Amino acid sequence: MDVMPQNGARGTRAGRSAAPVGARGSLDDDAGHDTGPAAGPGTSPGTAPDAGRDALPAAEDLGAPGAGPGIDPDDLPDGLLVADAHGRVVCFNAAAARITALSPADVLGRPVEQAMPLEDLEGRRWWALTQPYTGLAIRSGHPERNLLLPGGREVLVAARYVREHPTGPLRRLVVTLRGTEARRRTERSHAELIATVAHELRSPLTSVKGFTATLLAKWERFTEDQKKLMLETVDADADRVTRLIAELLDISRIDSGRLEVRRQPVDIATAVQRHVDAHVAAGQPGDRFRIEVSRPLPALWADPDKVDQVLGNLLENAVRHGDGTVTIEVAPSSAPREHRSTGTAVTVSDEGPGIPEESMSRVFTRFWRGSKRGGTGLGLYIVKGIVEAHGGTIAVGRAPGGGAEFRFILPVGAPAFLV
């Protein structure tokens, strides 16, 4: 497979344009010619061999198997820098120029250690440490590392050493470059998660510590009703901490794809009624809820604990952040053209202000909060992960009454051992 010739930010060499990658007259053909003194990575441009002689690397050396459509290095999403056997840069694609903010004219044809003067986080010159051309011949490269360019710009750098044979001299140095933006977003997300957890844990633990210390120090001074009230508060705050820890474990499992689903027969209508009864018992008026069940419902095999978690979160959101009547609809979900049941659909809607259109796409992300009325902003993220772990889907929209509407579908299906 041939790689297209480069121009501009591509693999053109000083002196004249490089031939297409894989074309005759490339590095392989030049190997038998006398080029004068070899220019290593530390050789100055004035003493280097003709920078225009060598073409770009052959396609097979870049890992392209066989013949096929041409590959332009500028099409690669990551930065690519290739240095020849003499240590001079012969390829510097557009992504590399964007990531490093270096001009291709200042890089192409120059010794790699001068064109890319990388340093590690301790200020040590990277090429002097790694010595790709003069170091141990058994090395095949180095893994991705966070390095610095002059001016402090951070770059993620990985390298591969291409040799004629395992312990032979270096034929080509292939370096990939990536920006650090994605890693920094991940680090910010982790930092935000830690800050949120610390904040959410501090309040209940402060309450638990305060009430227990007070009871231990002044037990005889309180009436039985006062003691009961404080112990109930401690119990509620302990439950809150337990829920938060469970959320963190769920997030970890969802992010790593290890969320386990233990499927059992689930009566979804009964589960909905149970959650509504719990809200009524907690003080919500009974006429605030309306349950609509369309029967017959298909047999649903799901994890009952996870289904309870989904229903509990959606109903809690509707009660806390919505207004008016909370409607829960349970009905079979059928394919539009097949007219057969494919799953069970549950819709939870309210008559509150709803979710702004511009926020719809962020509802199921971490830390999204529809209002400032408490919460970690993790519940809907976990709900989405649970539904998708079951092979289902969940969506948010605007209810007929103007409030928020959440609809999730759990597919029909039994565990593999029953099929």
Side-chain angles (χ1 to χ4, degrees), residues 52-374:
R53 291 182 63 262
D54 297 334
L56 291 177
E60 58 270 17
D61 293 327
L62 293 177
I71 296 177
D72 188 335
D74 282 351
D75 294 338
L76 298 176
D78 292 338
L80 174 68
L81 178 148
V82 181
D84 62 13
H86 308 300
R88 293 185 174 273
V89 180
V90 297
C91 178
F92 192 71
N93 71 350
R98 172 179 53 80
I99 292 168
T100 62
L102 296 175
S103 169
D106 295 333
V107 175
L108 292 169
R110 296 185 63 192
V112 65
E113 67 175 14
Q114 297 178 16
M116 291 280 294
L118 296 166
E119 297 181 352
D120 65 14
L121 299 181
E122 297 179 4
R124 297 173 296 185
R125 299 300 293 267
W126 184 245
W127 299 118
L129 288 175
T130 57
Q131 297 180 343
Y133 288 87
T134 59
L136 290 173
I138 61 173
R139 297 174 303 164
S140 60
H142 64 74
E144 187 174 76
R145 300 178 187 275
N146 193 357
L147 301 177
L148 301 175
L149 285 166
R153 178 182 287 265
E154 295 187 32
V155 186
L156 298 175
V157 181
R160 177 175 177 243
Y161 304 156
V162 181
R163 305 179 188 276
E164 291 285 357
H165 50 85
T167 58
L170 196 64
R171 177 186 178 191
R172 185 168 298 113
L173 173 66
V174 181
V175 179
T176 59
L177 307 165
R178 292 198 301 133
T180 59
E181 294 81 5
R183 177 174 292 185
R184 291 202 176 279
R185 283 195 298 269
T186 301
E187 291 173 351
R188 282 196 298 270
S189 177
H190 289 166
E192 189 174 358
L193 178 61
I194 292 171
T196 299
V197 171
H199 174 76
E200 293 294 327
L201 284 175
R202 183 184 297 122
S203 177
L205 289 178
T206 300
S207 172
V208 169
K209 176 63 177 176
F211 280 120
T212 52
T214 301
L215 286 171
L216 288 172
K218 303 177 182 180
W219 178 267
E220 297 83 4
R221 299 185 184 182
F222 297 106
T223 66
E224 292 300 317
D225 289 341
Q226 289 173 328
K227 293 175 183 177
K228 181 180 179 182
L229 176 61
M230 284 192 275
L231 288 175
E232 287 175 345
T233 304
V234 169
D235 184 64
D237 285 334
D239 288 342
R240 181 178 169 190
V241 172
T242 302
R243 284 196 302 272
L244 180 58
I245 293 173
E247 285 183 349
L248 294 176
L249 291 174
D250 286 337
I251 287 175
S252 174
R253 296 184 184 110
I254 290 170
D255 288 346
S256 61
R258 295 185 293 107
L259 186 66
E260 295 183 4
V261 175
R262 296 179 173 87
R263 297 182 185 271
Q264 302 174 30
V266 174
D267 187 339
I268 191 71
T270 301
V272 168
Q273 185 65 58
R274 186 172 63 251
H275 281 275
V276 169
D277 291 342
H279 280 282
V280 173
Q284 291 292 328
D287 58 0
R288 187 178 181 187
F289 300 93
R290 183 171 69 247
I291 302 175
E292 299 177 359
V293 180
S294 300
R295 298 186 185 274
L297 294 173
L300 175 62
W301 285 77
D303 189 319
D305 293 335
K306 297 291 190 295
V307 170
D308 278 340
Q309 196 171 350
V310 171
L311 292 173
N313 197 294
L314 294 181
L315 281 173
E316 173 115 8
N317 280 348
V319 170
R320 179 184 297 180
H321 305 294
D323 294 319
T325 301
V326 176
T327 302
I328 307 100
E329 301 175 42
V330 183
S333 173
S334 58
R337 296 182 180 178
E338 298 176 9
H339 301 290
R340 64 181 178 84
S341 180
T342 60
T344 301
V346 179
T347 305
V348 179
S349 58
D350 61 74
E351 298 175 345
I355 299 171
E357 291 291 336
E358 61 271 15
S359 299
M360 291 284 189
S361 61
R362 297 186 288 110
V363 165
F364 297 108
T365 59
R366 290 184 184 182
F367 311 118
W368 183 85
R369 295 180 179 89
S371 70
K372 297 181 179 179
R373 287 181 275 180

